[in-house]
Amino acid sequence: MRKNIVAGNWKMNLKIDDALNLANDVINLLPSDNDVEVVFAPSFIHLEKVNKMCLKLGLVNTASQNVCQQERGAFTGEVSAEMIHSLNVKYAIIGHSERRGYFNETNEDLKLKVDVSLKNNLKVIFCCGESLNHREERFHFDWIKRQISDSLFHLSLDDFRKVVIAYEPIWAIGTGVTATPNQAEEMHKFIREIIKKNYGEEVANNTSILYGGSCTSKNSKDLFYKDNIDGGLIGGASLDPESFISIIKSF
Ligand code: PEP
């Protein structure tokens, strides 16, 4: 059966000491019977040190927040999947709406990033999400279907098993406005349906689908209670160890 996952997207926050302290605090506060997969996504520059701490203590995995779509070579300032994997990092977050929006990453670019990540043995946390306009125009289901099918549905069944989906409506990210549990569940159910159509019931039932967008310790219980919500990708609330831990404990 699919895993429950809570991942903290630290974005472009925290100096190295703050990042290590946050990781250490969360790890120390984890309940001894925790069975939720916990993931930290620090900036590239802190990934190695945070990951070393996580590997040593063995309780948390890490993710990069991005990956270069090119395999290697003259791409100044970029970081390759091969480099990330060489640190024993488990996941790459791909397609976050901030990358799509501020850095013009298209579905086609993201398809390449997915491919190069899987080729280099990184699992993928693939983000999708609609704008408020799309939702108001009732275009949100088509939009999500397009994002997922354009970037993921070329994958073989075996490769698709290495993908976690994060549904993150853009209007909910960093805004304090959360999708209601029913709105989120409706979309998660839809996503699982389209996975089922492409890869069959067993794969669909085993794919973790996370919710992201102003998820906090105040709303996580109601969200995670829903059948098709298997955890969260958490931005702001992942920067505070107590808040992040109470989100993890919401299951
Ligand atoms: C995110 O950036 O993935 C996110 C969900 O942010 P926040 O929780 O701050 O809305």
Side-chain angles (χ1 to χ4, degrees):
M1 204 45 189
R2 57 188 179 260
K3 271 185 291 189
N4 290 325
I5 302 173
V6 174
N9 176 11
W10 296 352
K11 310 196 185 191
M12 199 175 73
N13 292 299
L14 308 171
K15 292 183 280 183
I16 184 61
D17 288 351
D18 301 326
L20 291 171
N21 285 337
L22 174 58
N24 193 52
D25 289 350
V26 170
I27 290 170
N28 284 327
L29 287 167
L30 276 176
S32 55
D33 60 349
N34 172 54
D35 58 2
V36 175
E37 180 174 355
V38 179
V39 180
F40 299 140
S43 68
F44 276 131
I45 198 168
H46 301 333
L47 194 51
E48 179 174 12
K49 283 193 174 153
V50 171
N51 188 56
K52 259 198 184 136
M53 177 186 278
C54 293
L55 288 177
K56 197 165 139 207
L57 300 172
L59 300 171
V60 174
N61 293 310
T62 57
S64 65
Q65 297 175 15
N66 183 27
V67 64
C68 181
Q69 65 208 57
Q70 310 291 339
E71 190 124 34
R72 67 178 64 81
F75 300 99
T76 303
E78 291 293 311
V79 178
S80 73
E82 188 181 45
M83 292 171 183
I84 298 165
H85 182 255
S86 71
L87 304 179
N88 292 315
V89 166
K90 182 169 179 183
Y91 292 103
I93 296 178
I94 293 178
H96 191 280
S97 62
E98 287 151 17
R99 302 272 345 149
R100 291 176 187 262
Y102 300 142
F103 302 97
N104 303 317
E105 294 186 359
T106 63
N107 291 349
E108 191 52 38
D109 296 328
L110 300 174
K111 179 182 180 185
L112 298 173
K113 290 185 182 219
V114 167
D115 287 346
V116 79
S117 299
L118 294 172
K119 184 172 173 205
N120 286 282
N121 299 310
L122 288 171
K123 291 182 190 285
V124 167
I125 299 176
F126 181 81
C127 304
C128 56
E130 82 284 0
S131 66
L132 194 54
N133 249 357
H134 288 138
R135 181 165 277 267
E136 284 171 352
E137 286 163 11
R138 306 281 317 154
F139 188 58
H140 49 307
F141 292 108
D142 285 342
W143 184 258
I144 297 297
K145 188 175 179 181
R146 192 176 296 171
Q147 286 185 326
I148 292 178
S149 53
D150 284 2
S151 304
L152 295 178
F153 280 173
H154 63 290
L155 294 176
S156 69
L157 198 139
D158 274 354
D159 274 347
F160 192 84
R161 287 182 195 281
K162 299 167 193 155
V163 175
V164 170
I165 308 263
Y167 168 59
E168 301 206 300
I170 299 170
W171 46 273
I173 296 183
T175 58
V177 180
T178 319
T180 64
N182 285 342
Q183 283 174 321
E185 170 65 11
E186 184 185 34
M187 185 57 85
H188 283 227
K189 199 167 167 213
F190 172 77
I191 293 171
R192 206 175 299 287
E193 277 302 316
I194 59 174
I195 296 172
K196 184 173 156 189
K197 274 196 195 122
N198 273 273
Y199 293 103
E201 189 156 13
E202 188 264 328
V203 175
N205 286 340
N206 280 295
T207 303
S208 299
I209 308 178
L210 316 183
Y211 168 79
S214 299
C215 182
T216 66
S217 53
K218 293 202 169 61
N219 53 39
S220 50
K221 234 192 188 109
D222 291 339
L223 285 159
F224 297 174
Y225 183 71
K226 294 288 185 186
D227 285 350
N228 287 287
I229 303 184
D230 310 311
L233 179 54
I234 317 295
S238 71
L239 297 173
D240 175 68
E242 273 87 19
S243 304
F244 194 55
I245 284 289
S246 35
I247 294 172
I248 294 165
K249 286 181 177 170
S250 303
F251 284 100

